[in-house]
Amino acid sequence: MPWFVLLAIAAGLSLALSLAWLVRIRTGQSGWIDAIWSLATGLAGLVVALGPGLSPPSGRALLAAGLVLAWSLRLASHLFVRTRGACDDPRYAALAKEWGADFPRRLFIFLQIQAAAALPLVAAIALAARAPRPFPDLLDCAGMLVAVAALAGEALADAQLARFRRHAPRGALCETGLWRLSRHPNYFFEFLFWCAWPLIAFDRTGVYPEGWLAFAAPLFIYWLLVHVSGVPPLEKHMRASRGAAFEAYARRVNAFFPLPRVSFWARGSNDRHRSR
């Protein structure tokens, strides 16, 4: 892809997050930030999937465009609906408290880092769209299935949490549906979505070695969600606001991967004990 297209994408992401900064400063509501980031990243993904060098777009490029468009619109619409009339995002509220009067300046820098963080994800989309294999093949089908399963799983997790919040008392912890298996199933399925791109980009013949670089996307998003901007600040807020209830919840439910916490052998032992 021409260097000027990459430069334009980087500038566009920077501008979008500058707009997100302005919206947060004007409204005091940080939820718009993630919604704008989702739209900006999705638009950048469309540009690299259908843009220069692919005329007319290949079937794989159209698949990439369709997947990133579905991801962007679903996530952004969910965040827009959730943000309207809601309290400030606790992660950003904690930063505002920590940074004090310097919050506007430091938030602007922080959001520019978020703009840069979108680049490895956009690069994975570009690599997948340009994979030179015949289309479609088993890897394309596998990538599409992973992406669709991830989109459906994240939508289901978001819907289950929204339904729980409508009926549960304030401060209650959701342990229904997917939230019984993971404390953050929405984050897990977000990570899973980005696992689709290495499958679509991969080429086992060695003709397209740059396809391996698409593995950076799921590795990077896993690191961000689990160790930086996802789980840690949110769980810090949960521990402060829910106390012992959250600690007990954390002992029962995995943090990220949606798997039963109790081991098979322990469960079997309890079943045998009850049978006596």
Side-chain angles (χ1 to χ4, degrees):
M1 177 171 292
W3 65 268
F4 61 84
V5 175
L6 298 176
L7 184 61
I9 288 170
L13 289 168
S14 176
L15 182 61
L17 271 295
S18 298
L19 174 63
W21 173 84
L22 181 61
V23 170
R24 167 57 181 84
I25 297 302
R26 291 286 181 87
T27 66
Q29 177 53 274
S30 302
W32 304 117
I33 292 173
D34 291 341
I36 293 172
W37 181 89
S38 303
L39 286 176
T41 304
L43 179 59
L46 281 177
V47 170
V48 298
L50 302 176
L54 290 174
S55 182
S58 65
R60 186 166 290 113
L62 293 173
L63 172 64
L67 292 177
V68 73
L69 180 63
W71 166 82
S72 178
L73 293 179
R74 193 219 69 85
L75 182 57
S77 61
H78 166 71
L79 293 171
F80 273 112
V81 170
R82 190 183 72 178
T83 298
R84 287 189 305 174
C87 298
D88 195 18
D89 187 309
R91 297 169 300 164
Y92 289 96
L95 292 178
K97 183 177 180 180
E98 177 184 346
W99 292 342
D102 201 29
F103 175 70
R105 183 187 68 86
R106 295 185 66 174
L107 179 66
F108 184 84
I109 296 171
F110 181 71
L111 295 188
Q112 293 306 305
I113 294 172
Q114 285 198 32
L119 292 174
L121 309 181
V122 174
I125 298 168
L127 290 167
R130 285 159 174 73
R133 307 186 317 269
F135 178 84
D137 64 8
L138 288 177
L139 288 174
D140 294 312
C141 295
M144 183 178 66
L145 288 175
V146 168
V148 170
L151 291 172
E154 190 170 3
L156 177 60
D158 289 336
Q160 289 173 342
L161 182 59
R163 188 181 308 115
F164 174 82
R165 285 175 170 171
R166 284 195 298 270
H167 304 289
R170 185 175 180 83
L173 292 164
C174 180
E175 290 190 63
T176 61
L178 293 168
W179 300 84
R180 296 181 62 186
L181 303 176
S182 168
R183 303 201 295 273
H184 305 278
N186 52 341
Y187 287 165
F188 166 76
F189 285 110
E190 179 67 19
F191 156 74
L192 185 64
F193 174 78
W194 294 100
C195 291
W197 301 100
L199 290 172
I200 300 173
F202 180 71
D203 184 86
R204 63 182 179 273
T205 66
V207 173
Y208 190 59
E210 55 266 43
W212 284 90
L213 296 174
F215 282 94
L219 293 175
F220 183 63
I221 203 72
Y222 176 85
W223 176 72
L224 281 179
L225 291 174
V226 176
H227 297 292
V228 183
S229 62
V231 173
L234 186 54
E235 296 215 334
K236 181 179 179 181
H237 166 74
M238 298 289 283
R239 284 187 167 88
S241 61
R242 307 296 198 278
F246 178 79
E247 295 296 343
Y249 172 57
R251 288 192 293 271
R252 293 192 300 271
V253 181
N254 285 332
F256 190 71
F257 292 100
L259 298 168
R261 189 66 173 268
V262 179
S263 72
F264 172 82
W265 296 110
R267 186 173 66 244
S269 175
N270 290 337
D271 291 344
R272 288 193 297 273
H273 178 74
R274 285 194 296 270
S275 68
R276 295 172 185 171

